Amino acid sequence: MNNHEVGSLQEKLLVKDMMTCQVVTVPHDLTMEQVKALLGDMAITGAPVVDDKGRICGIVSMFDVLKALEENLLSLPVAGRMSTPVIVTTPDSTVAEAIALFRQHRFNRLPVVDGERVVGMLTPGDIVRKLANVLKLDLVEEAAGPQENRTILQWAEEFPVAAGEFGQAGEVSIAIKKKLQEAGLSPLVIKKAVIAAYEAEMNMVIHSHGGAFEVRMTPEGVLMTARDQGPGIEDVAKAMEEGFSTAPQNIRRMGFGAGMGLPNIKRSVDSLEITSRIGQGTEVKMVIHFQDGGLNENKTDHQ
Amino acid sequence: MKIKQIINELALEVIVPPRGDYEVQSGYTGDLLSQVVARADRDFIWITIQNHLNVIAVACLLNLAGVILAEGIEPIPEAVEKAREEGVCLLSSPEGSFELGGKLYQLFNVEVESCYT
Ligand SMILES: Nc1ncnc2c1ncn2[C@@H]1O[C@H](COP(=O)(O)OP(=O)(O)OP(=O)(O)O)[C@@H](O)[C@H]1O
Ligand SMILES: [Mg+2]
C-alpha cells in the first residue's frame, strides 16, 4: 500500500465508520466536583458538555478539572470552566478532514455532531486502529500517559536488491522513505534512515552479487538489515575508512566510489554492525532509536 | 530565497518545474554522490554534472529543493520521468558548476545583506 492509496482511503473512510458511538456527555449545570467524579467513574479523560436540550455547548477535560482543583474552584459549574467554542466534526465528514482538524488544533478528541446533538466521539487512536484494521497491520500501543494517543504501527518488509541494476538503484530507499513517511516518523528520523538505506542499497548494487533489504518498525526504532550473497568484504575496518573504495573506473565516472558510503551510514545510525564472510556475503545491520517517540511534528514536504 | 527567483536570476531551463514556490535554504555543488549525501540537506539546491537516475534518487531522498545540471547537460529521459514521478525539480544551464555556484552564492549573500540594511 503506498502513500497515494492511504491518502485515498482517508478520503473514502468516513467519520461515522470509526467514531465511538457511546458518548458520555456532561450536563452543563454539573459542578466541576461532579465532573471529576463522572470522568473518574467512566474512566475517560474528557467529554462534551450539553445544555438542557441536549445541544453541545462546550467540552471539558481532566485538564480543566485539575486546573479547577488547583484554584480551589471545584464547586463552580462546568459551564464556566469548559472550553468553548467546541471544534466538532460530522458523521459524514471524511477521515482526511478530521485528521486536518486534529493537526490544526492539536487536541485529542473531536465530538461528532448531527445538527447540534452529539452522536459520537473521535480520537486519533480511533483512526489509527481503524486504518490498521483496514490495512491488516499489527498495532502496538505505546504506554499510556501524556502520549496516550500516539501510536506506532509495527511492520516489517523485505525488498530484493539486484546487483548492477543501476536503472533501479535508489528505488528501494525511495520506497522505504515513503513507508517511513506514512508511519508518521519525524523528518530527522526519516533523514537518517534514508541516508543509511541509500548507501547500503547502493553498496549492494555496486559491490555485491545482490541480496535483500529488510526494514522493521518497532515502537523503539527502525531496524534495517542489508544482506547480500557475496563476495564479502575482506577488511571491514578498512572499508569503514573515509575515502576507501574498490569501485571500478566506470562506476566512479557515475559519481560513486568516494569511499563515503559506509562512513555516511555510521554517522546516521545509532548502531551499525557489519558481518562479512569472504565468498559468502555481507550483512549490514543498522538501528535508529526513537527519541521522543520518533513521530512527526507536522512538517510537510514539497515532494 | 525562493526557487522561482533562482530560476529567473540564473536563467535556468526548467525541465521539471518545482511544486510551488518554496524557500531554498542553501546550495551544494558536487559530483560524488556519497559526498552530496553527506553534505547537502533538506531544501538545498544541488549543482552537478552527473546525469543518471541516482541523481534523482538522491535529490528525492534528501528532500532537496532541486537539481541544476550544469554544462548544458541534457538529462536522460528516464531521469526526467523519474524526477516528474517523485516531484523533484530538475533544471539545467549551459554554464559550468563554477559559474552557477558563484552566481548562486552571490544571490544568497545579497539576500542576507538586505536583511541587515
Ligand atoms: N555489500 C558489500 N559487498 C562487498 N563489498 C562491499 C560492500 N559494501 C561495501 N563494500 C566495500 O567497502 C568499500 C567502501 O564502501 P563505501 O560505501 O564506504 O564506499 P564506496 O561504495 O566504494 O563509495 P561511495 O559509497 O562513496 O560511492 C567498497 O568500495 C567495497 O570495497
Ligand atoms: Mg558505497
Side-chain angles (χ1 to χ4, degrees):
Chain A
M1 168 126 338
N2 60 34
N3 236 338
H4 185 73
E5 285 168 284
V6 170
S8 72
L9 201 58
Q10 291 177 2
E11 293 296 333
K12 261 183 264 162
L13 286 173
L14 300 180
V15 166
K16 64 181 169 203
D17 299 328
M18 36 186 78
M19 68 186 189
T20 309
C21 296
Q22 270 100 32
V23 195
V24 178
T25 55
V26 175
H28 71 118
D29 48 7
L30 291 195
T31 63
M32 288 306 278
E33 182 77 58
Q34 289 171 307
V35 172
K36 175 167 154 271
L38 180 66
L39 295 182
D41 285 347
M42 306 305 293
I44 51 177
T45 55
V49 182
V50 294
D51 66 13
D52 296 332
K53 304 220 164 67
R55 294 176 302 203
I56 185 163
C57 57
I59 189 158
V60 66
S61 72
M62 228 16 158
F63 186 72
D64 299 318
V65 171
L66 278 177
K67 241 171 61 195
L69 187 71
E70 236 170 42
E71 295 167 19
N72 222 348
L73 297 172
L74 277 179
S75 57
L76 290 186
V78 61
R81 309 285 307 178
M82 65 194 185
S83 307
T84 53
V86 208
I87 310 288
V88 296
T89 184
T90 63
D92 292 316
S93 300
T94 64
V95 165
E97 288 165 337
I99 291 173
L101 284 178
F102 281 124
R103 284 232 173 97
Q104 197 184 337
H105 300 283
R106 299 186 155 272
F107 42 46
N108 288 328
R109 68 178 65 74
L110 197 53
V112 185
V113 301
D114 187 5
E116 281 174 308
R117 255 177 16 85
V118 184
V119 293
M121 194 64 130
L122 188 70
T123 67
D126 293 332
I127 300 177
V128 170
R129 267 185 293 277
K130 177 74 180 187
L131 282 176
N133 212 326
V134 174
L135 301 177
K136 304 211 179 350
L137 293 164
D138 295 331
L139 192 63
V140 180
E141 298 250 4
E142 288 192 340
Q147 301 197 339
E148 60 181 325
N149 281 310
R150 312 193 83 194
T151 49
I152 284 199
L153 298 171
Q154 193 165 258
W155 48 263
E157 193 162 333
E158 198 174 77
F159 303 84
V161 179
E165 282 291 339
F166 290 97
Q168 280 156 39
E171 288 291 305
V172 170
S173 316
I174 290 176
I176 290 169
K177 180 189 176 197
K178 287 177 183 163
K179 289 222 65 159
L180 300 184
Q181 281 174 332
E182 274 168 29
L185 298 190
S186 72
L188 183 63
V189 170
I190 295 179
K191 180 186 161 185
K192 289 176 176 177
V194 297
I195 288 179
Y198 173 77
E199 295 292 4
E201 178 190 1
M202 290 319 299
N203 279 352
M204 268 204 266
V205 172
I206 295 172
H207 306 294
S208 91
H209 305 318
F213 197 109
E214 189 198 88
V215 188
R216 189 169 282 281
M217 177 77 75
T218 76
E220 289 81 40
V222 189
L223 271 79
M224 302 189 290
T225 313
R227 270 184 215 96
D228 65 51
Q229 282 128 33
I233 303 175
E234 211 164 291
D235 184 345
V236 172
K238 187 119 203 116
M240 286 299 303
E241 284 174 16
E242 273 192 27
F244 177 85
S245 175
T246 59
Q249 204 47 46
N250 61 323
I251 302 241
R252 286 185 192 244
R253 264 198 298 275
M254 294 174 77
F256 301 105
M260 288 289 291
L262 291 175
N264 277 353
I265 297 177
K266 179 93 190 142
R267 273 189 308 110
S268 305
V269 301
D270 296 313
S271 128
L272 169 64
E273 272 172 53
I274 303 179
T275 1
S276 192
R277 306 266 296 274
I278 292 296
Q280 300 201 356
T282 302
E283 184 182 90
V284 181
K285 245 176 118 172
M286 302 162 279
V287 184
I288 296 166
H289 296 298
F290 294 147
Q291 274 122 27
D292 309 328
L295 288 167
N296 192 9
E297 250 74 82
N298 262 336
K299 185 140 191 183
T300 51
D301 287 330
H302 47 73
Q303 280 165 19
Chain B
M1 170 95 29
K2 297 281 190 213
I3 183 81
K4 289 195 178 148
Q5 191 185 346
I6 291 177
I7 293 172
N8 287 338
E9 302 258 2
L10 300 189
L12 302 173
E13 185 190 337
V14 178
I15 300 158
V16 176
R19 290 188 179 170
D21 194 12
Y22 43 77
E23 192 70 22
V24 179
Q25 282 310 325
S26 183
Y28 189 77
T29 304
D31 305 314
L32 289 173
L33 298 176
S34 292
Q35 192 71 30
V36 176
V37 168
R39 295 274 176 259
D41 206 343
R42 159 187 287 277
D43 302 325
F44 276 42
I45 193 155
W46 172 25
I47 304 171
T48 186
I49 55 165
Q50 289 297 348
N51 181 11
H52 53 84
L53 280 172
N54 268 272
V55 171
I56 310 302
V58 166
C60 166
L61 291 169
L62 296 179
N63 292 311
L64 298 187
V67 180
I68 307 177
L69 297 179
E71 297 182 20
I73 285 167
E74 289 227 4
I76 56 168
E78 297 92 313
V80 178
E81 196 186 319
K82 179 122 191 119
R84 247 188 223 119
E85 205 176 291
E86 300 298 341
V88 172
C89 167
L90 189 56
L91 308 161
S92 78
S93 167
E95 293 186 291
S97 299
F98 176 74
E99 287 79 9
L100 286 168
K103 287 182 182 177
L104 203 53
Y105 184 78
Q106 190 70 25
L107 274 182
F108 273 101
N109 260 2
V110 169
E111 190 179 57
V112 171
E113 273 165 26
S114 69
C115 292
Y116 291 102
T117 51

